[in-house]
Amino acid sequence: MAVTKQMLQKFPCHDDALKNMAFLNPEFKEQLETDCVLKLAKRFPQILGVTCSLDELQEEFLDYQQTPKEELPPADLGADKVWSQMAKVMEPFSSKCRFGLLAKLALACCVIPVSDADPERIFSMLKKNQTEMRSDLDLNNDTICSLICSKQNQDVCCFENKPSDEVLMAAKQAVVTYQQFLVLIKMFNLYLDKHQM
């Protein structure tokens, strides 16, 4: 019981943003206040941008509330799929997206992490890859980003991964080219040192 109380105190269960995100589920759309999406847009202005028309967003939300459930994607698909489909709904007699701003806000809300476990896992992975022996791998380096991305996007464990022969040949060629480049730089520096004296 004490652990549950501690969790409830730690997690933002009573945050207005979470309450306002209830619009993501079409089942609750009629029960919400019309300004819930406006509050989200103001709380996270970077999602829609500063030039976004809040009146247009509110109109889209009112249209969404008045649209019969039969015309909307089924809620059991999951919020991300529902709003991906909603983003494709066009206005009749127009090429304009019917729920463009609302769908953009909804899809952004779908990716807000509910915990910090994933970022912590990535930072832990980064620490394991960026060691003192690999000091050249700073965060501005594409290599470290590529390593993390490849590890995150693997369906199998790294020790079970078997790269194709083409990938291995390309990697070997890249290493050879890099080593040749380092030799050229070293020779160039020696040349400069000799001729500057």
Side-chain angles (χ1 to χ4, degrees):
M1 189 69 163
V3 173
T4 306
K5 287 181 181 178
Q6 188 177 9
M7 280 177 45
L8 288 174
Q9 288 175 350
K10 182 177 179 183
F11 293 119
C13 298
H14 303 293
D15 191 335
D16 285 339
L18 293 175
K19 293 174 187 171
N20 292 329
M21 284 184 204
F23 85 94
L24 294 171
N25 187 343
E27 299 293 323
F28 303 124
K29 66 185 177 82
E30 290 94 6
Q31 302 165 13
L32 301 172
E33 297 176 22
T34 56
D35 65 341
C36 70
V37 291
L38 297 177
K39 290 177 183 175
L40 280 172
K42 290 176 184 173
R43 171 102 182 250
F44 305 108
Q46 62 278 18
I47 293 174
L48 298 176
V50 291
T51 59
C52 165
S53 167
L54 294 179
D55 292 335
E56 190 176 340
L57 177 65
Q58 191 166 18
E59 285 177 27
E60 286 183 10
F61 181 70
L62 290 170
D63 183 18
Y64 165 65
Q65 280 188 311
Q66 294 169 359
T67 303
K69 288 181 185 173
E70 299 79 37
E71 293 180 25
L72 299 173
D76 61 348
L77 287 176
D80 56 339
K81 291 182 181 163
V82 166
W83 285 99
S84 292
Q85 290 183 15
M86 295 279 284
K88 298 174 186 169
V89 175
M90 297 299 193
E91 285 185 1
F93 312 111
S94 171
S95 62
K96 184 181 176 209
C97 184
R98 184 173 173 187
F99 303 109
L101 292 173
L102 191 60
K104 186 175 180 180
L105 181 66
L107 289 170
C109 289
C110 287
V111 298
I112 294 175
V114 293
S115 77
D116 61 353
D118 286 334
E120 289 294 332
R121 194 172 298 119
I122 290 173
F123 282 120
S124 174
M125 190 183 306
L126 180 63
K127 283 183 196 173
K128 290 177 183 174
N129 283 287
Q130 191 179 20
T131 63
E132 285 183 30
M133 298 297 288
R134 292 174 150 180
S135 59
D136 289 345
L137 296 178
D138 62 7
L139 290 178
N140 296 326
N141 187 326
D142 288 340
T143 307
I144 191 74
C145 294
S146 298
L147 280 169
I148 298 298
C149 287
S150 65
K151 287 185 179 196
Q152 280 295 110
N153 295 325
Q154 291 283 336
D155 292 334
V156 294
C157 294
C158 61
F159 58 86
E160 295 174 351
N161 186 23
K162 175 80 172 104
S164 67
D165 291 339
E166 294 85 23
V167 170
L168 289 174
M169 288 301 293
K172 286 178 184 177
Q173 183 60 43
V175 169
V176 168
T177 304
Y178 180 70
Q179 288 173 341
Q180 289 171 346
F181 178 71
L182 290 177
V183 168
L184 285 173
I185 288 176
K186 195 172 190 177
M187 289 172 56
F188 182 70
N189 286 336
L190 287 172
Y191 174 80
L192 286 177
D193 289 342
K194 276 185 177 181
H195 288 73
Q196 286 180 353
M197 291 183 176

